[in-house]
Amino acid sequence: MGTAAVSDSQGSRFGMWLFLYSEIMLFGALFILYAAYFLKYQSGFAAGGSELDLTLGTANTLILLTSSFAVASSLAAVQKGSMKLSGAFLLSAIVLGMVFLGIKYFEWSHKISAGIYPGSAAFKAADPAGHGRIIFYNLYFTMTGIHAVHVTIGLIVLMITFAFTASGRISRDNHALLENAGLYWHLVDILWIFIFPMLYLIA
Amino acid sequence: MGDVVKNIDNAFIYIIGISVVLLTGITFTMIFFTVKYRRSKNPEPADIRGNWKLELVWTIIPLLIALSMFYVGWNSYLGLRNVPKGAMEIDVLAMQFSWLFKYPGGRESANLLVVPEGKAVKLTVTSDDVIHSLYIPSFRVKIDAVKGMKTYAWFQAARAGNYDIFCAEYCGLDHSKMSAILRIVKMDEYRRWLEKKN
Amino acid sequence: MSQEPSYLEHTSSLQRRGILSWLLTTDHKRIALMYMWALMFWFTAAVFLGLTMRTELMKAGETLFGAETYNALFTLHGVIMVFLFIIPGIPAIFGNFFIPIQIGAKDVFFPRLNLLTWYLYILGGILAIVSLFVKGLPDTGWTFYVPFSIKTEREISLALIAVFILGMSSMLTGLNFITTIHRLRRREMGWFQIPLFTWSVYASSWVQLLATPIIAMTLLIVVFERFFGAGLFDPSRGGDPLLYQHLFWMYSHPAVYIMILPGMGIISEIFPVFSRKSIFGYKAIVAASMAIAVVGSLVWAHHMFVSGMSDTAILVFSLLTYLVAIPSAVKVFSWVSTMYRGSVQMSPPLLFGLCFVYLFSIGGLTGLVLGSAGTNVHVHDTQFVVAHFHFVMFGGAGFAFFGGLHYWWPKMFGRMYSFKRAYAGIFMLTAGFMLHYMPMFVLGMQGMPRRYYDYLPVYEPGNFLAGIGAYIMAAGIMVIFINLIISLKKGEQAPANPWGGVTLEWQIQSPPTVHNFTADPEIGEYPYDFTRLNKNREKEK
């Protein structure tokens, strides 16, 4: 039965794009909140932003960018038929993603040990003049937290993809999964490109 | 009851009036078609797929009607926002589940708002906890009370008497009991009331 | 046409039998039916909650139970009706069943994802039930306004997560439909040959896809606030509760169109078929659907005219609200004109359609009262609003849902139902509806706020009448359901095309086979071309 004359992979990529739109809207809600509070508490945001470690933030940006590049290279390698190279690129992308999470974990624990976290005693006692900084850090934890969840999901997807490349289920003629996993990983990267200046470069 | 209330009521009449005419028109046309073109009478349907001129007409005319309604409604709304000069100012604090009114000079009263007849009264509203909404149906006035925010509403205390004040934003267990009385009294009675101890 | 085994007897995966052939099915038709039973359960539960609530309100003061129970009742009624019935309702049942068929496909594009959405739906429902037994019944209203929803000691987090999961379910369903309509449509079928029901679900799926994430994030933040004290909305920590309202309505107002657009699609199918005449202004209706989807996404803050928002914002949102009324008006005029010089046959689906036009018009026109800033202030958050949105949601989406049920029932189950009982049910439902909701308009104008457990004696007659109406309405719903259930056992065998429809679902047998089409369907130049059908009928004579 000739229902439709399109190949499967084209459709699943289309579906993936739709999903990415919805992810952008998900973060869009956070960006709206950020914009509204930034207008209200500019100095508080600047104070909060200056306390973040710019070096670590920049390092993480570069790491995620490189990782994204590795996934793209992995796809290019599959299209040329060299599965080994593709697997190697994918693996390095996964490792870089984990390093990103590690640095994030270090940053978070550093802040938490300094008493800076949502609902902390220091924040509860703060006077209205300090509201801007509290809001900044609440946004910081929410945004980076939800982004980290996305990184984790992305990593799991990449690992599954890696297992499929190793077992040969992904090949030159059948690499829709790798393509979609790559799209998702790029999204995670792009979101970070937006989040990074909002939090780290605000000061 | 003052021009503001009259304007708003006129807006109600204008919008509801046109709506009733439209609704009657649609309903009767529909019933008429159902009866007139019933299958036993009209077994052979015509093949009409549209008529762009007619469609254009029934897009533009409702658009004009809608814009006129918008205009009337907006105009009546402005009356609610433009507080006349020399209005008397009273602060309102909403909390679960009562109203506190603070008068100039320090007098406070709970669940009872007393104002002198003939005066314009501006209420500056805020909340101590969750969101409430100050609603005086007789004066078509409603404004939310939000913690950390000051909102306002005003009304012309036209005629002496007692009026209801409700909380219109759901605020918890006793939301429906969170009411107060607005008492409009003669000026001298108001003065006497103001001087009484809390 | 010889009857082949239908999807009800035969599954695509032959090795599975019994209940597993349903629970593990990827057949869009079986999934649609699984959605139907689950939705019916929730709908009945919410009707029962609503009825209990209106009984309490029939008399001023405490009659059956206290304010605590009442507050929980309207919260549950709202949450269930909105998130578990109307939003998923028409797309999950009729969209799943008929979109693939209307575009000539075997299934949706992602059949397994489709099954997953059903499980997410069930999971969301179960979580909602569990949340009732943790720390007492939730009492925030379905809007979960902060800071109340942050402060209340009841179990709100679980309910919020339930809504989050339900949102994910309906968002993925929307994603599936968009992909299906783009990729699985028959090659011969151009965009302007797509039936209007599919078009309208397509439009609402986009809203679903792009607006749902916003509320998902918003509710997550409320959960964070409750667990960790992330003060993003709490004014005592510098948060702005108005921002919550903005984000909430940025989804929840478009959600109104997610609810009503598919219903409008059903009505656009019913009118032509029972008039044996093309829909009046096909392209205008398509354009109106898209316009509603787009403009409807820009009017959210008309829920906030008394919130303390700036007057400029009120000006803009009031104006936009009036603009979004126009495409709906165009649709109403088109439906009525479809009957002009048609050959109109009265039948239960058409009667639902007629009642829909009447009730939806009232809902829409009273929306004009609410859209105008000056009048809005007086009736905002009163019984007037309750009446208005029930006219739109129940008189509109609900009646369209029932209309669709009666229109497609013969196709879905291969059985005809009793028209007499159906008419009786519709009559009771509509009469009860009017008696139930009309008094609320008056109560609202008189100043009775909504979500009131108790009220002044002035409001008693209206509430009493509304209570009577509620019972008549519930009885009507019962008659309708019983009639349909009886038909499953005793109904006559339905022919392939009982109404004389021209969209693709009427070209295949009732109920359809597993792969829907046994032969390539004929796709006409124009989806509502009745001339050929009418000519054939003449020849037969």
Side-chain angles (χ1 to χ4, degrees):
Chain A
M1 292 222 0
T3 29
V6 285
S7 73
D8 234 17
S9 67
Q10 248 177 312
S12 52
R13 192 166 59 219
F14 183 86
M16 190 64 197
W17 271 107
L18 294 181
F19 182 68
L20 297 187
Y21 293 153
S22 77
E23 287 279 24
I24 291 171
M25 293 305 285
L26 188 78
F27 278 86
L30 279 176
F31 295 161
I32 292 170
L33 269 185
Y34 180 92
Y37 284 129
F38 175 65
L39 288 176
K40 199 169 170 187
Y41 299 116
Q42 294 199 7
S43 61
F45 271 46
S50 64
E51 291 165 27
L52 292 178
D53 193 327
L54 188 58
T55 323
L56 286 181
T58 314
N60 252 350
T61 310
L62 292 175
I63 287 167
L64 216 48
L65 272 173
T66 318
S67 173
S68 211
F69 180 72
V71 170
S73 310
S74 165
L75 181 63
V78 163
Q79 279 162 344
K80 285 196 181 117
S82 54
M83 297 310 296
K84 277 218 172 117
L85 190 62
S86 164
F89 272 126
L90 208 49
L91 197 60
S92 54
I94 293 170
V95 171
L96 286 169
M98 285 172 165
V99 173
F100 174 90
L101 283 184
I103 293 180
K104 200 79 249 154
Y105 173 78
F106 174 76
E107 280 189 87
W108 269 41
S109 46
H110 187 70
K111 283 279 172 275
I112 291 171
S113 63
I116 299 172
Y117 55 88
S120 71
F123 274 5
K124 266 186 189 144
D127 62 319
H131 274 164
R133 197 168 145 261
I134 299 181
I135 291 282
F136 176 83
Y137 274 108
N138 285 333
L139 273 170
Y140 167 79
F141 279 102
T142 313
M143 284 164 93
T144 55
I146 288 172
H147 182 259
V149 170
H150 280 76
V151 174
T152 314
I153 294 170
L155 280 175
I156 293 169
V157 174
L158 286 183
M159 284 172 197
I160 293 170
T161 316
F162 179 72
F164 277 27
T165 356
S167 72
R169 283 172 78 175
I170 288 175
S171 66
R172 187 175 187 165
D173 308 316
N174 182 16
H175 53 261
L177 177 66
L178 177 58
E179 224 172 308
N180 284 338
L183 277 177
Y184 189 77
W185 195 244
H186 295 325
L187 173 89
V188 169
D189 186 25
I190 287 168
L191 288 171
W192 179 256
I193 302 284
F194 276 95
I195 293 170
F196 171 65
M198 284 179 169
L199 298 174
Y200 290 83
L201 301 180
I202 195 77
Chain B
M1 282 284 212
D3 288 343
V4 176
V5 174
K6 207 183 281 166
N7 277 344
I8 290 174
D9 287 355
N10 285 340
F12 269 114
I13 291 165
Y14 181 74
I15 296 171
I16 294 176
I18 291 179
S19 298
V20 168
V21 173
L22 283 174
L23 179 70
T24 317
I26 292 167
T27 313
F28 273 93
T29 315
M30 193 168 71
I31 294 171
F32 176 71
F33 285 172
T34 318
V35 175
K36 168 127 198 235
Y37 301 113
R38 65 187 183 276
R39 194 156 293 172
S40 55
K41 259 305 204 32
N42 198 39
E44 292 311 315
D47 184 26
I48 307 167
R49 296 180 181 185
N51 179 336
W52 68 269
K53 280 184 201 156
L54 183 60
E55 285 167 47
L56 203 64
V57 169
W58 74 36
T59 310
I60 291 175
I61 292 180
L63 181 68
L64 295 177
I65 296 176
L67 288 178
S68 78
M69 286 178 176
F70 160 74
Y71 176 76
V72 171
W74 177 252
N75 242 356
S76 67
Y77 177 71
L78 286 179
L80 287 171
R81 304 311 290 161
N82 296 332
V83 187
K85 271 185 196 137
M88 160 186 170
E89 304 222 357
I90 295 172
D91 286 341
V92 183
L93 182 67
M95 67 201 84
Q96 286 170 319
F97 301 92
S98 60
W99 299 97
L100 191 66
F101 301 97
K102 297 177 188 167
Y103 302 79
R107 175 94 158 90
E108 289 183 2
S109 65
N111 297 330
L112 175 70
L113 171 61
V114 181
V115 296
E117 192 180 37
K119 274 282 214 180
V121 182
K122 183 186 179 189
L123 303 169
T124 305
V125 186
T126 192
S127 166
D128 195 36
D129 37 51
V130 303
I131 301 180
H132 304 273
S133 192
L134 180 93
Y135 179 29
I136 316 178
S138 304
F139 294 97
R140 317 287 184 260
V141 162
K142 187 181 289 137
I143 193 74
D144 280 4
V146 186
K147 185 172 184 175
M149 229 174 107
K150 282 206 162 99
T151 53
Y152 75 90
W154 82 276
F155 62 94
Q156 187 77 37
R159 246 183 307 154
N162 285 344
Y163 303 88
D164 293 308
I165 297 175
F166 296 124
C167 174
E169 181 63 62
Y170 175 70
C171 59
L173 185 64
D174 278 333
H175 167 54
S176 67
K177 292 206 178 104
M178 189 173 157
S179 55
I181 297 289
L182 161 63
R183 181 171 299 157
I184 301 179
V185 296
K186 297 268 183 271
M187 195 49 155
D188 46 344
E189 195 184 335
Y190 173 70
R191 288 220 178 87
R192 253 179 289 141
W193 180 83
L194 209 54
E195 278 156 21
K196 265 194 284 182
K197 285 262 158 57
N198 268 344
Chain C
M1 187 162 46
S2 66
Q3 193 81 1
E4 292 193 29
S6 77
Y7 75 102
L8 291 167
E9 297 133 32
H10 231 270
T11 55
S12 40
S13 47
L14 290 168
Q15 69 273 28
R16 288 197 187 97
R17 276 158 202 283
I19 189 83
L20 278 187
S21 72
W22 287 90
L23 291 178
L24 296 174
T25 186
T26 53
D27 181 356
H28 64 106
K29 299 180 287 300
R30 286 195 163 207
I31 294 174
L33 290 200
M34 293 206 295
Y35 263 119
M36 193 180 86
W37 298 120
L39 277 152
M40 286 306 163
F41 165 76
W42 284 113
F43 176 72
T44 314
V47 166
F48 181 72
L49 294 172
L51 200 60
T52 318
M53 203 157 83
R54 292 315 308 192
T55 313
E56 165 64 40
L57 284 180
M58 281 172 81
K59 218 164 142 282
E62 184 170 333
T63 42
L64 296 176
F65 40 75
E68 206 178 336
T69 315
Y70 177 82
N71 294 346
L73 281 177
F74 74 67
T75 303
L76 291 173
H77 174 81
V79 169
I80 294 174
M81 280 296 194
V82 171
F83 295 110
L84 282 150
F85 180 66
I86 316 181
I87 289 182
I90 295 174
I93 301 174
F94 304 124
N96 252 326
F97 204 109
F98 290 105
I99 284 179
I101 301 181
Q102 284 198 329
I103 60 172
K106 277 191 273 193
D107 206 321
V108 292
F109 193 89
F110 301 108
R112 273 175 298 178
L113 182 71
N114 202 13
L115 182 62
L116 175 72
T117 65
W118 185 79
Y119 278 100
L120 287 175
Y121 173 82
I122 297 295
L123 177 67
I126 291 173
L127 272 184
I129 294 180
V130 171
S131 78
L132 305 182
F133 300 103
V134 183
K135 271 188 250 156
L137 304 165
D139 60 347
T140 57
W142 77 276
T143 45
F144 302 111
Y145 265 25
V146 294
F148 186 73
S149 60
I150 298 170
K151 293 210 153 90
T152 180
E153 277 153 24
R154 305 308 182 79
E155 183 50 52
I156 296 303
S157 301
L158 261 185
L160 291 171
I161 292 168
V163 171
F164 180 88
I165 290 172
L166 292 170
M168 209 148 95
S169 161
S170 57
M171 191 209 88
L172 290 173
T173 303
L175 184 154
N176 209 346
F177 286 161
I178 297 174
T179 317
T180 305
I181 294 166
H182 273 268
R183 310 306 299 189
L184 291 186
R185 219 166 65 241
R186 289 194 157 255
R187 254 172 303 174
E188 320 76 289
M189 187 182 272
W191 279 100
F192 286 116
Q193 283 154 280
I194 298 176
L196 287 167
F197 173 68
T198 300
W199 252 119
S200 60
V201 177
Y202 177 77
S204 69
S205 293
W206 274 105
V207 183
Q208 190 89 278
L209 184 78
L210 297 179
T212 315
I214 297 184
I215 197 168
M217 181 56 79
T218 311
L219 298 182
L220 267 189
I221 293 175
V222 175
V223 175
F224 288 164
E225 297 232 28
R226 288 184 65 89
F227 278 127
F228 308 114
L232 286 174
F233 294 131
D234 185 355
S236 54
R237 295 202 180 97
D240 184 352
L242 255 59
L243 269 175
Y244 170 86
Q245 296 179 25
H246 276 294
L247 289 172
F248 179 84
W249 290 114
M250 246 179 237
Y251 164 77
S252 296
H253 193 76
V256 170
Y257 300 103
I258 295 174
M259 304 174 204
I260 193 69
L261 271 172
M264 290 171 153
I266 292 176
I267 299 302
S268 304
E269 298 287 341
I270 288 176
F271 271 95
V273 169
F274 295 96
S275 308
R276 288 222 165 123
K277 185 170 155 277
S278 159
I279 186 87
F280 194 97
Y282 170 86
K283 285 192 181 170
I285 292 184
V286 171
S289 292
M290 293 315 271
I292 289 174
V294 173
V295 185
S297 302
L298 303 172
V299 299
W300 72 86
H302 66 211
H303 295 264
M304 301 167 58
F305 284 174
V306 304
S307 67
M309 186 173 70
S310 82
D311 286 343
T312 323
I314 292 173
L315 177 79
V316 172
F317 281 105
S318 170
L319 183 61
L320 285 171
T321 303
Y322 272 101
L323 294 185
V324 81
I326 307 303
S328 302
V330 167
K331 284 190 174 194
V332 168
F333 298 144
S334 286
W335 293 322
V336 173
S337 307
T338 299
M339 292 197 292
Y340 171 69
R341 290 183 58 201
S343 176
V344 180
Q345 184 184 33
M346 187 45 77
S347 67
L350 182 67
L351 188 55
F352 269 118
L354 298 174
C355 292
F356 169 97
V357 169
Y358 179 67
L359 300 175
F360 177 72
S361 297
I362 297 179
L365 291 165
T366 50
L368 298 175
V369 176
L370 288 161
S372 125
T375 46
N376 174 285
V377 172
H378 179 53
V379 285
H380 174 84
D381 264 337
T382 64
Q383 299 285 324
F384 190 94
V385 176
V386 180
H388 158 72
F389 70 70
H390 279 93
F391 264 92
V392 177
M393 298 292 69
F394 192 172
F399 270 65
F401 176 85
F402 282 121
L405 207 58
H406 285 77
Y407 177 58
W408 279 314
W409 190 265
K411 179 58 62 188
M412 294 167 85
F413 295 100
R415 300 285 180 171
M416 299 301 286
Y417 45 81
S418 147
F419 278 25
K420 241 190 226 164
R421 277 194 293 262
Y423 287 135
I426 300 170
F427 178 75
M428 284 162 78
L429 177 59
T430 312
F433 188 97
M434 292 298 285
L435 187 60
H436 183 44
Y437 293 112
M438 280 313 250
M440 290 194 210
F441 282 126
V442 181
L443 287 171
M445 298 280 276
Q446 288 175 330
M448 178 179 165
R450 68 192 283 205
R451 296 173 169 180
Y452 258 35
Y453 162 71
D454 196 5
Y455 48 79
L456 299 176
V458 214
Y459 305 129
E460 201 161 34
N463 279 298
F464 182 76
L465 280 181
I468 305 270
Y471 276 92
I472 300 176
M473 216 162 80
I477 294 172
M478 248 170 69
V479 171
I480 287 168
F481 280 167
I482 290 171
N483 181 34
L484 290 176
I485 289 168
I486 289 176
S487 81
L488 288 180
K489 292 255 175 211
K490 300 197 173 154
E492 265 174 63
Q493 200 78 35
N497 192 358
W499 317 122
V502 290
T503 41
L504 298 191
E505 73 266 34
W506 305 113
Q507 290 186 19
I508 57 175
Q509 68 170 47
S510 314
T513 53
V514 176
H515 294 302
N516 301 339
F517 298 94
T518 46
D520 281 352
E522 277 180 65
I523 293 163
E525 282 284 298
Y526 176 72
Y528 296 97
D529 186 352
F530 285 81
T531 50
R532 235 179 341 156
L533 195 85
N534 292 336
K535 264 186 206 142
N536 286 346
R537 206 172 285 119
E538 253 170 65
K539 262 189 225 157
E540 276 167 28
K541 274 182 206 161

